[in-house]
Amino acid sequence: TTEIYTLSLHDALPISPQESLARIHVPPGFRVELVAAEPLTVDPVAIDWDPAGRLWVAEMSDYPLGMDGRGQPGGRVRVLEDTDGDGVMDRSRVFAEGLNFPTGLLTWRDGVLVTAAPEIVLLRDTDGDGSADRREVVVRGLLEGNQQLRANGLRWGLDNWVYCAAGGHHGNYGVGTRLRTAKGEVLVGSRDFRFRPDTGELEQESGPSQYGRNRDDWGRWFGTQNIRPLWHYVLADRYLRRNPHVAAPDPTRQVVVPLSPKVYPASAPEKRFHSFNEAGHFTSACAGTIYRDEVLFPGTPPGVQHAFTCEPFHNLVQHNQVMEDGVSFRAERVPGEGELDFFASEDRWCRPVMTRTGPDGALWVVDMYRYMIEHPEWLPPEGKAELLPHYRLGDDRGRIYRVVPATGTLRAAGRLDTLDPAGLVAALDSPNEWRRDKAHQLLVQQPERVDLVSLRKVARAVNRPLARVHALAVLEGIGALQEEDIAKALEDPHPGVRENALRMAESHGTTQVLARATALVRDPSPKVRLQLALTLGEWEHLEAGRAL
């Protein structure tokens, strides 16, 4: 068994960004572009865009054990800009530094939310010098421990909450773990959570996902953990905890199966110190995400989605087709993509740790670019001794790529910061996930300026179902959702709109809404019927009981 692992990682040397780019394999019909590299960014692990189109990067330069090997913080948030519009970042500035192992970020109002256990902080620049000068702790009490297992993510939900993956501590997270916000303490235990940064509200969610908690267009959430490339959260925790006397079932369903499925790398095997039977299989799955645009895969049939999961130990990103399967999903490797995975690098320093759908419709890939990605805590004594001098090699490097169509042009990303509320309402009709989500977020943050007439017109009349559901969600987020809005949406021809309308109906249990909702008991969509069952449990009405 050991003979096939004799090629030591010590034999590999780092190569330039251009050389590494040339060693990345993607299927026919696609190509890879280098968007940013050192010295503009180093140790990138998470990205997001702000309304001005700037790229914000969380840099975990203190990985794995701190700048001094004893936990000294050294993480950063950096802002990158493409000033000449050629698609390549050419300006970089450090927005904040000295952060404690930052793992995720979300641009928020005039600043950025960052997960840096034991806190989630809001960093702002109030004097206009380009660096953060205000630091507000939004959430306290996140578990620290192993740096690979800390809270991360931060994603905007259709329900107007920010979602956070609690990390991979699982049983070690402990029933005694409490998170503190301006609203008080919440017992989270071994679960993910959602919160409202402006008010301090926080609630438990099913989980935890180790690295990355992402959703599809219709608000269905997915998680990832090491040998589990992608699972679907079928049941939200808020429904499960209604009855403390019933042991809830597993709220998740594995979508990419079996556990530790095969990967198809372009790189030679690394030296292993344990789990030899897992070579060539998922062992470091992270950041499972759903691609949410039309640029890369035009003509995708209804009911089919494209999922991407990073596998940094094997230097690749795997692509799976995700298809409807009752109340959940199933997946299969995409036919015709060849012998290698979708994004497979020959460079064994290439460490993809996150993918995102960019505002331009490309698939963006964050490459931490490290000599070793495995945390020393997982190594046996002989592995720790051999690799000790190399724990931080690559801490001065990092690359960000985007996968684009081999021919044709990307969508113009466009800025949102220059749009008035009417322009933001129009942006809800975009086919791009980031543009819809950020316009949605910005509208909720300025309710006094929203034109309710135009918003309702989108909710009821626009052809794109995703625009209708976002318009409804904005109405909900600004407290303007009315009984008639919900009743109309419960009869929408698209099941995703009906599914979300049922969730929104939970706080509007009027006679009209109840009648429209219970009529869905024979809805052709299993996901709509599941949401109906969950929603009915929120109403203390005789008709709700009969429908159940």
Side-chain angles (χ1 to χ4, degrees):
T1 304
T2 58
E3 289 181 0
I4 64 172
Y5 307 108
T6 56
L7 182 61
S8 171
L9 193 57
H10 304 314
D11 299 327
L13 295 174
I15 56 179
S16 72
Q18 291 71 28
E19 290 177 294
S20 189
L21 173 64
R23 299 189 188 187
I24 296 171
H25 298 261
V26 291
F30 301 94
R31 59 184 173 85
V32 183
E33 297 179 346
L34 180 67
V35 177
E38 67 274 3
L40 291 181
T41 184
V42 294
D43 305 307
V45 296
I47 59 174
D48 194 20
W49 296 263
D50 67 11
R54 297 172 298 189
L55 181 67
W56 293 62
V57 186
E59 298 183 337
M60 200 175 180
S61 290
D62 36 9
Y63 182 80
L65 299 172
M67 304 300 289
D68 58 356
R70 296 186 295 274
Q72 178 186 352
R76 292 178 295 270
V77 170
R78 194 184 295 267
V79 182
L80 304 182
E81 295 181 71
D82 170 17
T83 62
D84 57 9
D86 66 352
V88 178
M89 301 298 163
D90 50 51
R91 179 183 294 170
S92 173
R93 60 180 167 85
V94 174
F95 184 76
E97 53 189 338
L99 298 171
N100 194 39
F101 301 97
T103 53
L105 80 174
L106 175 71
T107 58
W108 187 260
R109 293 191 179 270
D110 61 346
V112 64
L113 292 163
V114 183
T115 48
E119 299 167 338
I120 298 176
V121 295
L122 174 60
L123 304 174
R124 299 173 58 224
D125 169 22
T126 62
D127 58 12
D129 67 352
S131 298
D133 52 62
R134 292 288 179 90
R135 181 181 184 276
E136 176 188 349
V137 178
V138 179
V139 178
R140 294 181 175 87
L142 300 172
L143 195 65
E144 294 182 77
N146 187 286
Q147 288 81 2
Q148 280 188 352
L149 307 182
R150 300 187 177 200
N152 61 86
L154 300 183
R155 294 290 184 268
W156 178 251
L158 265 177
D159 53 8
N160 304 298
W161 292 76
V162 174
Y163 282 71
C164 185
H169 293 283
H170 294 272
N172 294 332
Y173 208 64
V175 295
T177 300
R178 293 180 179 273
L179 299 183
R180 296 180 297 281
T181 73
K183 286 280 188 179
E185 289 191 341
V186 176
L187 179 65
V188 172
S190 187
R191 287 172 285 191
D192 293 339
F193 58 94
R194 63 179 186 171
F195 66 104
R196 299 188 192 272
D198 293 341
T199 65
E201 297 168 85
L202 188 146
E203 293 184 354
Q204 309 98 323
E205 272 299 336
S206 299
S209 178
Q210 179 170 329
Y211 192 70
R213 192 185 213 274
N214 294 289
R215 65 172 175 86
D216 69 5
D217 284 334
W218 305 105
R220 301 149 185 160
W221 291 92
F222 296 81
T224 312
Q225 188 256 340
N226 284 351
I227 63 172
R228 299 169 176 83
L230 195 72
W231 68 68
H232 168 219
Y233 289 103
V234 183
L235 300 172
D237 190 77
R238 62 186 177 276
Y239 299 124
L240 300 180
R241 64 176 180 263
R242 287 187 303 205
N243 188 345
H245 306 292
V246 174
D250 185 344
T252 66
R253 180 185 181 183
Q254 301 301 320
V255 176
V256 177
V257 293
L259 296 182
S260 194
K262 289 186 65 175
V263 294
Y264 304 88
S267 56
E270 291 188 18
K271 181 174 181 178
R272 301 182 72 94
F273 296 91
H274 58 77
S275 306
F276 300 111
N277 60 312
E278 293 180 356
H281 294 256
F282 269 108
T283 60
S284 60
C286 60
T289 188
I290 304 295
Y291 173 78
R292 295 165 52 204
D293 204 314
E294 303 168 355
V295 171
L296 292 187
F297 306 101
T300 299
V304 176
Q305 302 184 87
H306 297 272
F308 293 89
T309 303
C310 296
E311 168 55 33
F313 184 80
H314 289 91
N315 323 110
L316 58 84
V317 178
Q318 186 171 98
H319 176 202
N320 284 282
Q321 284 186 153
V322 174
M323 291 157 288
E324 298 283 338
D325 189 15
V327 299
S328 190
F329 302 91
R330 60 183 176 87
E332 63 181 27
R333 190 161 180 259
V334 179
E337 282 195 348
E339 299 179 355
L340 302 177
D341 271 315
F342 183 85
F343 179 104
S345 176
E346 299 173 28
D347 181 0
R348 286 187 291 131
W349 288 58
C350 178
R351 305 295 186 182
V353 294
M354 177 176 285
T355 64
R356 293 290 304 272
T357 308
D360 53 7
L363 181 74
W364 290 56
V365 180
V366 179
D367 174 10
M368 193 178 184
Y369 206 82
R370 283 292 189 105
Y371 177 89
M372 57 179 286
I373 197 69
E374 187 168 27
H375 195 282
E377 183 177 320
W378 313 131
L379 295 171
E382 59 272 21
K384 291 180 180 179
E386 180 176 333
L387 294 175
L388 179 61
H390 313 295
Y391 284 178
R392 292 185 52 77
L393 288 184
D395 65 349
D396 57 348
R397 300 170 186 266
R399 291 91 194 259
I400 299 173
Y401 302 99
R402 61 180 183 178
V403 182
V404 303
T407 59
T409 58
L410 292 171
R411 175 181 296 108
R415 296 176 58 165
L416 297 180
D417 61 324
T418 58
L419 299 181
D420 60 14
L424 292 175
V425 169
L428 299 177
D429 196 25
S430 170
N432 177 260
E433 67 155 279
W434 179 86
R435 193 168 177 83
R436 287 193 311 272
D437 286 353
K438 187 58 71 174
H440 174 172
Q441 184 188 117
L442 293 172
L443 286 165
V444 170
Q445 291 173 348
Q446 48 182 326
E448 69 284 351
R449 299 183 62 204
V450 176
D451 179 1
L452 297 182
V453 174
S454 63
L455 193 58
R456 285 199 166 87
K457 184 176 180 180
V458 174
R460 300 184 182 187
V462 169
N463 288 334
R464 192 185 303 275
L466 285 171
R468 298 199 295 273
V469 81
H470 274 280
L472 288 166
V474 172
L475 288 168
E476 180 187 37
I478 63 177
L481 190 66
Q482 297 178 351
E483 176 182 341
E484 292 76 13
D485 302 321
I486 298 172
K488 177 73 172 176
L490 288 171
E491 295 181 336
D492 194 277
H494 195 285
V497 178
R498 299 196 300 275
E499 184 182 345
N500 279 276
L502 282 167
R503 176 191 57 77
M504 298 177 195
E506 292 170 4
S507 57
H508 295 75
T510 64
T511 301
Q512 180 188 11
V513 169
L514 185 63
R516 296 282 180 91
T518 54
L520 299 178
V521 72
R522 293 181 177 83
D523 194 277
S525 166
K527 291 181 176 64
V528 172
R529 297 199 304 274
L530 172 62
Q531 183 59 55
L532 174 62
L534 299 172
T535 294
L536 290 170
E538 294 289 310
W539 292 331
E540 295 183 359
H541 292 279
L542 181 60
E543 289 306 313
R546 287 173 175 162
L548 276 171

